[in-house]
Amino acid sequence: VLRWSVSYGGTTSTDDVIITFNEDPVQAAAGSDQDICGTLSATLEGIAHSYQGGTAPAASTRQWTYVSGPDTSPVFSDASSPTSTLTVSTSGSYVFRWTETNGNCVRTDEVSIDLSDIPNVSGGPDQEVCYGESVTLSGTGDGTISWDQGVINGTPFIPTQTGEYHVSVLNGSGCSNSDTVVVTVNPIPDADAGPDQEVCFGEAVTLTATGGTHYLWDNSVSNGVPFTPSATTVYNVVVSDDKGCSDQDQVLVEVNPIPQTPIITYESDTLFSDSDMGNQWYMDGTPITDAEESYYVPKLQGTYHAVVTQGGCESEESNKIFVVYSGVEKNDVGELKIYPNPAEDFIKIETERIGKYSLMITSSTGQLILKEDVSDPIHRVDLSSMHPGIYFITISAEEFVSTRKVIKR
């Protein structure tokens, strides 16, 4: 309090004035701007002025007020506290003002609070692939998409093992979110079509693949079901499992031809086959040991035929020839003629010094067609009732046996 005094002629006049010195709240501050994600509340970081003496004057005030933002009626937990918690109903950018007054001294500061929603993000469904197949991960979200492990969004790649892939999204407010996709890599089945096979024409073969649960052969083959191939062929099989993963393999089935049915003849004391190799001679249906040449000299009386084997395949039995074996060498019986050959309705048989002989005609399958005894040196045989084909004429005398092939037209 100050007093002003004036004296004149022994009289004094006075007046008092009160001067109040208020402390200026210069330390008042609204705090740092904030970017907050996923919430509609924030704790303000204001700073209150620290008054001398440690206690704010009774007349001083402190107050948070709304300046701007989508929600015009924010709620403060304590508007007079510099660290009040505010709550809004709508996300967005807000400005709040911190004001401190002490008498006629006023200090203000403003702070920006950006309340942003968490961005949506989806990595898509979990995926299952077979080893070696590509997969495409396509994430979506409200912002910039990025994957870990070097994956590029929407670009195919080939995973080598089962694993988790994480996708993140970052929006313009710096808020992020993430999702996880599991990629399961299933192994490839080990397809095995089995070993290559070799069969004779007309024989059945069974192809049995392993390594999976489903088997798809080409050429209409069914797994494990016999079939008869018509020619040498490579067969391919797709082996798959219950996961849909598959592998392929192939097998060669070699079809060997059946050798041509041999035709045998008998000249003097020797049987001849028209096949140069692969012969096996039989007597009375039993194979003869070590009789594998294209000729055979019979030592016993009986019915002979030959079978040719080539590439593991046997021909049908040749025609059969009955041999009468005398055990002696043939004598000079002169020339034997059978004509015409080929013949149509008849043939003639001319002998010089054979004398009486037995005539036997058999078909190419060994069926007996005619058997008779002949004594004429020139004998005519009627063929008109016989079907066209190959026949064998066997002439047997006491010391002579000969078989000739005749073609009937």
Short mmCIF file of all heavy atoms in Angstrom, two decimals, residues 235-292:
data_model
loop_
_atom_site.label_atom_id
_atom_site.label_comp_id
_atom_site.label_asym_id
_atom_site.label_seq_id
_atom_site.Cartn_x
_atom_site.Cartn_y
_atom_site.Cartn_z
N TYR A 235 3.77 -97.23 -70.41
CA TYR A 235 2.56 -96.85 -69.69
C TYR A 235 2.92 -95.84 -68.59
O TYR A 235 3.87 -96.06 -67.83
CB TYR A 235 1.90 -98.08 -69.07
CG TYR A 235 1.34 -99.03 -70.11
CD1 TYR A 235 2.14 -100.03 -70.67
CD2 TYR A 235 0.03 -98.93 -70.55
CE1 TYR A 235 1.65 -100.90 -71.63
CE2 TYR A 235 -0.48 -99.79 -71.52
CZ TYR A 235 0.33 -100.78 -72.05
OH TYR A 235 -0.16 -101.62 -73.00
N ASN A 236 2.15 -94.78 -68.52
CA ASN A 236 2.39 -93.71 -67.55
C ASN A 236 1.31 -93.72 -66.49
O ASN A 236 0.12 -93.93 -66.79
CB ASN A 236 2.39 -92.34 -68.25
CG ASN A 236 3.47 -92.26 -69.32
OD1 ASN A 236 4.63 -92.07 -69.02
ND2 ASN A 236 3.06 -92.41 -70.57
N VAL A 237 1.72 -93.48 -65.24
CA VAL A 237 0.77 -93.46 -64.14
C VAL A 237 0.98 -92.19 -63.31
O VAL A 237 2.11 -91.74 -63.11
CB VAL A 237 0.92 -94.70 -63.24
CG1 VAL A 237 2.29 -94.77 -62.59
CG2 VAL A 237 -0.18 -94.74 -62.19
N VAL A 238 -0.14 -91.58 -62.91
CA VAL A 238 -0.11 -90.44 -61.98
C VAL A 238 -0.55 -90.96 -60.62
O VAL A 238 -1.66 -91.48 -60.47
CB VAL A 238 -1.05 -89.31 -62.45
CG1 VAL A 238 -1.06 -88.17 -61.43
CG2 VAL A 238 -0.60 -88.79 -63.81
N VAL A 239 0.34 -90.84 -59.65
CA VAL A 239 0.07 -91.30 -58.28
C VAL A 239 -0.22 -90.08 -57.42
O VAL A 239 0.58 -89.15 -57.35
CB VAL A 239 1.28 -92.08 -57.72
CG1 VAL A 239 1.01 -92.51 -56.29
CG2 VAL A 239 1.58 -93.30 -58.59
N SER A 240 -1.38 -90.08 -56.78
CA SER A 240 -1.75 -88.94 -55.94
C SER A 240 -2.15 -89.43 -54.55
O SER A 240 -2.44 -90.62 -54.35
CB SER A 240 -2.91 -88.15 -56.57
OG SER A 240 -4.03 -88.99 -56.80
N ASP A 241 -2.14 -88.49 -53.59
CA ASP A 241 -2.53 -88.83 -52.23
C ASP A 241 -3.80 -88.07 -51.85
O ASP A 241 -4.38 -87.38 -52.68
CB ASP A 241 -1.39 -88.53 -51.24
CG ASP A 241 -0.95 -87.07 -51.27
OD1 ASP A 241 -1.73 -86.23 -51.74
OD2 ASP A 241 0.18 -86.78 -50.83
N ASP A 242 -4.21 -88.23 -50.59
CA ASP A 242 -5.45 -87.61 -50.16
C ASP A 242 -5.35 -86.09 -50.08
O ASP A 242 -6.37 -85.40 -49.95
CB ASP A 242 -5.86 -88.16 -48.79
CG ASP A 242 -6.28 -89.63 -48.87
OD1 ASP A 242 -6.73 -90.03 -49.96
OD2 ASP A 242 -6.12 -90.36 -47.87
N LYS A 243 -4.14 -85.54 -50.11
CA LYS A 243 -3.94 -84.10 -50.10
C LYS A 243 -3.99 -83.50 -51.49
O LYS A 243 -3.89 -82.29 -51.67
CB LYS A 243 -2.61 -83.74 -49.44
CG LYS A 243 -2.50 -84.15 -47.98
CD LYS A 243 -3.46 -83.36 -47.10
CE LYS A 243 -3.25 -83.68 -45.63
NZ LYS A 243 -4.16 -82.91 -44.76
N GLY A 244 -4.12 -84.36 -52.50
CA GLY A 244 -4.14 -83.87 -53.87
C GLY A 244 -2.77 -83.69 -54.49
O GLY A 244 -2.65 -83.18 -55.61
N CYS A 245 -1.71 -84.10 -53.77
CA CYS A 245 -0.36 -84.01 -54.32
C CYS A 245 -0.09 -85.25 -55.18
O CYS A 245 -0.55 -86.35 -54.86
CB CYS A 245 0.67 -83.91 -53.20
SG CYS A 245 0.45 -82.43 -52.17
N SER A 246 0.67 -85.09 -56.23
CA SER A 246 0.85 -86.19 -57.18
C SER A 246 2.27 -86.24 -57.70
O SER A 246 3.03 -85.28 -57.64
CB SER A 246 -0.13 -86.04 -58.35
OG SER A 246 0.12 -84.85 -59.08
N ASP A 247 2.61 -87.42 -58.20
CA ASP A 247 3.89 -87.67 -58.83
C ASP A 247 3.64 -88.63 -59.99
O ASP A 247 2.57 -89.27 -60.05
CB ASP A 247 4.88 -88.27 -57.82
CG ASP A 247 6.30 -88.34 -58.37
OD1 ASP A 247 6.61 -87.59 -59.31
OD2 ASP A 247 7.11 -89.15 -57.85
N GLN A 248 4.59 -88.73 -60.90
CA GLN A 248 4.41 -89.59 -62.07
C GLN A 248 5.55 -90.59 -62.18
O GLN A 248 6.67 -90.35 -61.73
CB GLN A 248 4.33 -88.77 -63.36
CG GLN A 248 3.18 -87.80 -63.41
CD GLN A 248 3.05 -87.10 -64.75
OE1 GLN A 248 3.39 -87.67 -65.79
NE2 GLN A 248 2.58 -85.87 -64.74
N ASP A 249 5.24 -91.72 -62.79
CA ASP A 249 6.26 -92.71 -63.12
C ASP A 249 5.77 -93.46 -64.35
O ASP A 249 4.62 -93.31 -64.78
CB ASP A 249 6.48 -93.67 -61.94
CG ASP A 249 7.78 -94.46 -62.08
OD1 ASP A 249 8.63 -94.05 -62.90
OD2 ASP A 249 7.94 -95.48 -61.39
N GLN A 250 6.65 -94.24 -64.93
CA GLN A 250 6.28 -94.98 -66.13
C GLN A 250 6.94 -96.35 -66.12
O GLN A 250 7.92 -96.58 -65.42
CB GLN A 250 6.66 -94.22 -67.41
CG GLN A 250 8.12 -93.90 -67.54
CD GLN A 250 8.42 -93.09 -68.80
OE1 GLN A 250 9.51 -93.21 -69.35
NE2 GLN A 250 7.51 -92.28 -69.27
N VAL A 251 6.35 -97.25 -66.88
CA VAL A 251 6.87 -98.61 -66.97
C VAL A 251 6.77 -99.06 -68.42
O VAL A 251 5.82 -98.71 -69.13
CB VAL A 251 6.09 -99.55 -66.03
CG1 VAL A 251 4.63 -99.63 -66.42
CG2 VAL A 251 6.71 -100.94 -66.02
N LEU A 252 7.77 -99.81 -68.85
CA LEU A 252 7.79 -100.33 -70.21
C LEU A 252 7.27 -101.77 -70.19
O LEU A 252 7.78 -102.61 -69.45
CB LEU A 252 9.21 -100.30 -70.78
CG LEU A 252 9.42 -101.02 -72.12
CD1 LEU A 252 8.65 -100.30 -73.23
CD2 LEU A 252 10.90 -101.11 -72.47
N VAL A 253 6.25 -102.02 -71.00
CA VAL A 253 5.76 -103.38 -71.20
C VAL A 253 6.13 -103.79 -72.63
O VAL A 253 5.63 -103.22 -73.60
CB VAL A 253 4.24 -103.48 -70.98
CG1 VAL A 253 3.75 -104.88 -71.29
CG2 VAL A 253 3.89 -103.11 -69.54
N GLU A 254 7.05 -104.74 -72.70
CA GLU A 254 7.52 -105.20 -74.01
C GLU A 254 6.75 -106.44 -74.40
O GLU A 254 6.75 -107.44 -73.67
CB GLU A 254 9.02 -105.49 -73.95
CG GLU A 254 9.63 -105.78 -75.30
CD GLU A 254 11.15 -105.83 -75.26
OE1 GLU A 254 11.71 -105.55 -74.19
OE2 GLU A 254 11.75 -106.17 -76.29
N VAL A 255 6.07 -106.37 -75.53
CA VAL A 255 5.27 -107.49 -76.02
C VAL A 255 6.05 -108.18 -77.13
O VAL A 255 6.27 -107.61 -78.20
CB VAL A 255 3.90 -107.01 -76.54
CG1 VAL A 255 3.10 -108.19 -77.07
CG2 VAL A 255 3.14 -106.31 -75.43
N ASN A 256 6.50 -109.39 -76.83
CA ASN A 256 7.25 -110.16 -77.82
C ASN A 256 6.30 -110.96 -78.69
O ASN A 256 5.31 -111.54 -78.19
CB ASN A 256 8.23 -111.11 -77.12
CG ASN A 256 9.30 -110.35 -76.37
OD1 ASN A 256 9.82 -109.36 -76.86
ND2 ASN A 256 9.64 -110.81 -75.18
N PRO A 257 6.57 -111.02 -79.99
CA PRO A 257 5.67 -111.75 -80.89
C PRO A 257 5.76 -113.26 -80.66
O PRO A 257 6.78 -113.78 -80.23
CB PRO A 257 6.18 -111.36 -82.28
CG PRO A 257 7.63 -111.04 -82.06
CD PRO A 257 7.71 -110.42 -80.70
N ILE A 258 4.66 -113.93 -80.94
CA ILE A 258 4.66 -115.39 -80.92
C ILE A 258 5.35 -115.89 -82.19
O ILE A 258 5.01 -115.45 -83.29
CB ILE A 258 3.22 -115.94 -80.85
CG1 ILE A 258 2.52 -115.42 -79.59
CG2 ILE A 258 3.22 -117.46 -80.90
CD1 ILE A 258 3.16 -115.88 -78.31
N PRO A 259 6.35 -116.74 -82.05
CA PRO A 259 7.03 -117.22 -83.26
C PRO A 259 6.05 -117.92 -84.20
O PRO A 259 5.04 -118.49 -83.77
CB PRO A 259 8.07 -118.21 -82.71
CG PRO A 259 8.25 -117.83 -81.28
CD PRO A 259 6.92 -117.31 -80.82
N GLN A 260 6.38 -117.86 -85.48
CA GLN A 260 5.55 -118.53 -86.47
C GLN A 260 5.56 -120.03 -86.23
O GLN A 260 6.58 -120.63 -85.89
CB GLN A 260 6.07 -118.22 -87.87
CG GLN A 260 5.21 -118.78 -88.99
CD GLN A 260 5.71 -118.33 -90.35
OE1 GLN A 260 6.61 -117.51 -90.44
NE2 GLN A 260 5.14 -118.88 -91.41
N THR A 261 4.39 -120.62 -86.37
CA THR A 261 4.28 -122.07 -86.17
C THR A 261 5.17 -122.79 -87.18
O THR A 261 5.04 -122.59 -88.40
CB THR A 261 2.83 -122.53 -86.33
OG1 THR A 261 2.01 -121.81 -85.40
CG2 THR A 261 2.70 -124.02 -86.07
N PRO A 262 6.09 -123.61 -86.68
CA PRO A 262 7.00 -124.29 -87.62
C PRO A 262 6.29 -125.39 -88.41
O PRO A 262 5.27 -125.94 -87.97
CB PRO A 262 8.07 -124.88 -86.70
CG PRO A 262 7.36 -125.10 -85.40
CD PRO A 262 6.37 -123.98 -85.27
N ILE A 263 6.82 -125.68 -89.56
CA ILE A 263 6.36 -126.80 -90.38
C ILE A 263 7.52 -127.79 -90.48
O ILE A 263 8.65 -127.41 -90.82
CB ILE A 263 5.94 -126.34 -91.78
CG1 ILE A 263 4.74 -125.39 -91.67
CG2 ILE A 263 5.61 -127.53 -92.67
CD1 ILE A 263 4.33 -124.78 -92.99
N ILE A 264 7.25 -129.03 -90.14
CA ILE A 264 8.31 -130.04 -90.18
C ILE A 264 8.05 -131.02 -91.31
O ILE A 264 6.91 -131.25 -91.71
CB ILE A 264 8.44 -130.79 -88.83
CG1 ILE A 264 7.15 -131.57 -88.53
CG2 ILE A 264 8.74 -129.81 -87.70
CD1 ILE A 264 7.29 -132.48 -87.31
N THR A 265 9.14 -131.54 -91.82
CA THR A 265 9.08 -132.57 -92.87
C THR A 265 10.02 -133.70 -92.49
O THR A 265 10.89 -133.55 -91.61
CB THR A 265 9.49 -132.00 -94.23
OG1 THR A 265 10.80 -131.40 -94.13
CG2 THR A 265 8.50 -130.93 -94.68
N TYR A 266 9.83 -134.84 -93.16
CA TYR A 266 10.67 -136.01 -92.87
C TYR A 266 11.24 -136.50 -94.18
O TYR A 266 10.51 -136.88 -95.11
CB TYR A 266 9.82 -137.10 -92.21
CG TYR A 266 10.61 -138.28 -91.73
CD1 TYR A 266 11.62 -138.14 -90.79
CD2 TYR A 266 10.33 -139.56 -92.22
CE1 TYR A 266 12.34 -139.23 -90.34
CE2 TYR A 266 11.04 -140.66 -91.77
CZ TYR A 266 12.05 -140.48 -90.82
OH TYR A 266 12.76 -141.57 -90.38
N GLU A 267 12.55 -136.44 -94.29
CA GLU A 267 13.25 -136.89 -95.49
C GLU A 267 14.17 -138.02 -95.10
O GLU A 267 15.09 -137.84 -94.28
CB GLU A 267 14.05 -135.74 -96.10
CG GLU A 267 13.21 -134.56 -96.57
CD GLU A 267 12.34 -134.90 -97.76
OE1 GLU A 267 12.67 -135.87 -98.46
OE2 GLU A 267 11.33 -134.21 -97.98
N SER A 268 13.90 -139.18 -95.67
CA SER A 268 14.66 -140.40 -95.36
C SER A 268 14.62 -140.65 -93.86
O SER A 268 13.59 -140.99 -93.32
CB SER A 268 16.10 -140.27 -95.87
OG SER A 268 16.09 -140.14 -97.28
N ASP A 269 15.72 -140.39 -93.15
CA ASP A 269 15.73 -140.71 -91.72
C ASP A 269 15.80 -139.46 -90.85
O ASP A 269 16.11 -139.54 -89.66
CB ASP A 269 16.93 -141.60 -91.40
CG ASP A 269 18.25 -140.93 -91.75
OD1 ASP A 269 18.21 -139.85 -92.37
OD2 ASP A 269 19.31 -141.46 -91.38
N THR A 270 15.53 -138.27 -91.41
CA THR A 270 15.74 -137.02 -90.67
C THR A 270 14.50 -136.15 -90.71
O THR A 270 13.87 -135.99 -91.76
CB THR A 270 16.93 -136.23 -91.25
OG1 THR A 270 18.10 -137.06 -91.24
CG2 THR A 270 17.20 -134.97 -90.43
N LEU A 271 14.18 -135.59 -89.54
CA LEU A 271 13.11 -134.61 -89.43
C LEU A 271 13.70 -133.21 -89.60
O LEU A 271 14.75 -132.89 -89.03
CB LEU A 271 12.43 -134.70 -88.06
CG LEU A 271 11.59 -135.97 -87.80
CD1 LEU A 271 11.32 -136.12 -86.31
CD2 LEU A 271 10.27 -135.90 -88.57
N PHE A 272 13.02 -132.33 -90.34
CA PHE A 272 13.49 -130.98 -90.59
C PHE A 272 12.41 -129.96 -90.18
O PHE A 272 11.22 -130.17 -90.44
CB PHE A 272 13.83 -130.77 -92.07
CG PHE A 272 14.99 -131.60 -92.54
CD1 PHE A 272 14.77 -132.85 -93.12
CD2 PHE A 272 16.29 -131.14 -92.38
CE1 PHE A 272 15.85 -133.61 -93.55
CE2 PHE A 272 17.36 -131.91 -92.83
CZ PHE A 272 17.15 -133.14 -93.40
N SER A 273 12.85 -128.87 -89.54
CA SER A 273 11.97 -127.75 -89.22
C SER A 273 12.31 -126.59 -90.13
O SER A 273 13.49 -126.36 -90.44
CB SER A 273 12.14 -127.34 -87.75
OG SER A 273 11.48 -126.10 -87.50
N ASP A 274 11.29 -125.85 -90.56
CA ASP A 274 11.57 -124.70 -91.42
C ASP A 274 12.02 -123.47 -90.62
O ASP A 274 12.26 -122.41 -91.18
CB ASP A 274 10.36 -124.35 -92.28
CG ASP A 274 9.16 -123.89 -91.46
OD1 ASP A 274 9.22 -123.96 -90.22
OD2 ASP A 274 8.14 -123.46 -92.05
N SER A 275 12.15 -123.60 -89.28
CA SER A 275 12.70 -122.53 -88.45
C SER A 275 14.17 -122.81 -88.18
O SER A 275 14.54 -123.91 -87.78
CB SER A 275 11.94 -122.43 -87.13
OG SER A 275 12.50 -121.43 -86.31
N ASP A 276 15.01 -121.79 -88.40
CA ASP A 276 16.45 -122.00 -88.25
C ASP A 276 16.90 -122.04 -86.80
O ASP A 276 18.00 -122.51 -86.51
CB ASP A 276 17.22 -120.87 -88.98
CG ASP A 276 17.00 -120.93 -90.48
OD1 ASP A 276 16.75 -122.03 -90.99
OD2 ASP A 276 17.08 -119.87 -91.11
N MET A 277 16.11 -121.51 -85.89
CA MET A 277 16.55 -121.43 -84.49
C MET A 277 15.36 -121.57 -83.55
O MET A 277 14.22 -121.39 -83.94
CB MET A 277 17.27 -120.12 -84.21
CG MET A 277 16.44 -118.88 -84.46
SD MET A 277 17.35 -117.34 -84.21
CE MET A 277 18.58 -117.48 -85.51
N GLY A 278 15.70 -121.87 -82.30
CA GLY A 278 14.69 -121.93 -81.25
C GLY A 278 13.85 -123.19 -81.23
O GLY A 278 12.83 -123.24 -80.55
N ASN A 279 14.27 -124.24 -81.94
CA ASN A 279 13.45 -125.45 -82.01
C ASN A 279 13.59 -126.30 -80.77
O ASN A 279 14.65 -126.35 -80.13
CB ASN A 279 13.87 -126.27 -83.23
CG ASN A 279 13.53 -125.59 -84.54
OD1 ASN A 279 12.39 -125.64 -84.98
ND2 ASN A 279 14.52 -124.95 -85.15
N GLN A 280 12.50 -126.95 -80.41
CA GLN A 280 12.51 -128.02 -79.42
C GLN A 280 11.66 -129.15 -79.98
O GLN A 280 10.49 -128.97 -80.29
CB GLN A 280 11.94 -127.55 -78.08
CG GLN A 280 11.75 -128.66 -77.07
CD GLN A 280 13.05 -129.35 -76.68
OE1 GLN A 280 13.96 -128.70 -76.20
NE2 GLN A 280 13.14 -130.65 -76.93
N TRP A 281 12.31 -130.32 -80.12
CA TRP A 281 11.62 -131.47 -80.71
C TRP A 281 10.94 -132.26 -79.61
O TRP A 281 11.42 -132.37 -78.49
CB TRP A 281 12.60 -132.36 -81.47
CG TRP A 281 13.14 -131.71 -82.72
CD1 TRP A 281 14.28 -131.02 -82.86
CD2 TRP A 281 12.51 -131.72 -84.01
NE1 TRP A 281 14.43 -130.55 -84.14
CE2 TRP A 281 13.34 -130.99 -84.88
CE3 TRP A 281 11.32 -132.26 -84.51
CZ2 TRP A 281 13.04 -130.78 -86.21
CZ3 TRP A 281 11.03 -132.07 -85.86
CH2 TRP A 281 11.88 -131.32 -86.69
N TYR A 282 9.77 -132.80 -79.97
CA TYR A 282 8.97 -133.61 -79.05
C TYR A 282 8.67 -134.96 -79.71
O TYR A 282 8.49 -135.06 -80.93
CB TYR A 282 7.64 -132.93 -78.73
CG TYR A 282 7.75 -131.69 -77.89
CD1 TYR A 282 8.18 -130.48 -78.44
CD2 TYR A 282 7.39 -131.71 -76.55
CE1 TYR A 282 8.28 -129.34 -77.67
CE2 TYR A 282 7.48 -130.56 -75.77
CZ TYR A 282 7.92 -129.37 -76.33
OH TYR A 282 8.01 -128.25 -75.56
N MET A 283 8.61 -136.02 -78.89
CA MET A 283 8.12 -137.32 -79.34
C MET A 283 6.99 -137.75 -78.43
O MET A 283 7.16 -137.80 -77.20
CB MET A 283 9.23 -138.38 -79.31
CG MET A 283 8.79 -139.71 -79.95
SD MET A 283 9.92 -141.07 -79.66
CE MET A 283 9.42 -141.54 -78.01
N ASP A 284 5.86 -138.03 -79.04
CA ASP A 284 4.68 -138.43 -78.28
C ASP A 284 4.35 -137.43 -77.17
O ASP A 284 3.96 -137.80 -76.06
CB ASP A 284 4.86 -139.84 -77.70
CG ASP A 284 4.99 -140.90 -78.79
OD1 ASP A 284 4.47 -140.67 -79.90
OD2 ASP A 284 5.60 -141.95 -78.52
N GLY A 285 4.55 -136.13 -77.45
CA GLY A 285 4.19 -135.07 -76.53
C GLY A 285 5.21 -134.76 -75.46
O GLY A 285 5.01 -133.87 -74.63
N THR A 286 6.36 -135.48 -75.45
CA THR A 286 7.40 -135.26 -74.44
C THR A 286 8.62 -134.62 -75.08
O THR A 286 9.08 -135.10 -76.13
CB THR A 286 7.81 -136.59 -73.78
OG1 THR A 286 6.65 -137.19 -73.18
CG2 THR A 286 8.87 -136.36 -72.71
N PRO A 287 9.16 -133.51 -74.48
CA PRO A 287 10.35 -132.90 -75.08
C PRO A 287 11.54 -133.86 -75.06
O PRO A 287 11.77 -134.59 -74.10
CB PRO A 287 10.60 -131.67 -74.20
CG PRO A 287 9.90 -131.95 -72.91
CD PRO A 287 8.73 -132.81 -73.26
N ILE A 288 12.29 -133.81 -76.16
CA ILE A 288 13.46 -134.68 -76.30
C ILE A 288 14.68 -133.91 -75.83
O ILE A 288 14.93 -132.77 -76.25
CB ILE A 288 13.63 -135.11 -77.77
CG1 ILE A 288 12.36 -135.82 -78.27
CG2 ILE A 288 14.85 -136.02 -77.92
CD1 ILE A 288 12.35 -136.06 -79.75
N THR A 289 15.46 -134.49 -74.92
CA THR A 289 16.64 -133.83 -74.37
C THR A 289 17.66 -133.55 -75.47
O THR A 289 17.94 -134.41 -76.31
CB THR A 289 17.27 -134.71 -73.28
OG1 THR A 289 16.29 -134.98 -72.28
CG2 THR A 289 18.47 -134.02 -72.65
N ASP A 290 18.20 -132.32 -75.45
CA ASP A 290 19.24 -131.88 -76.38
C ASP A 290 18.79 -131.96 -77.83
O ASP A 290 19.63 -132.09 -78.75
CB ASP A 290 20.52 -132.71 -76.19
CG ASP A 290 21.13 -132.50 -74.82
OD1 ASP A 290 20.97 -131.39 -74.27
OD2 ASP A 290 21.75 -133.44 -74.29
N ALA A 291 17.51 -131.87 -78.09
CA ALA A 291 17.01 -131.87 -79.47
C ALA A 291 16.51 -130.46 -79.77
O ALA A 291 15.31 -130.18 -79.72
CB ALA A 291 15.90 -132.89 -79.63
N GLU A 292 17.47 -129.56 -80.07
CA GLU A 292 17.13 -128.15 -80.23
C GLU A 292 17.63 -127.57 -81.55
O GLU A 292 17.64 -126.35 -81.71
CB GLU A 292 17.71 -127.35 -79.06
CG GLU A 292 17.17 -127.79 -77.71
CD GLU A 292 17.87 -127.13 -76.55
OE1 GLU A 292 18.87 -126.41 -76.80
OE2 GLU A 292 17.46 -127.33 -75.39
#
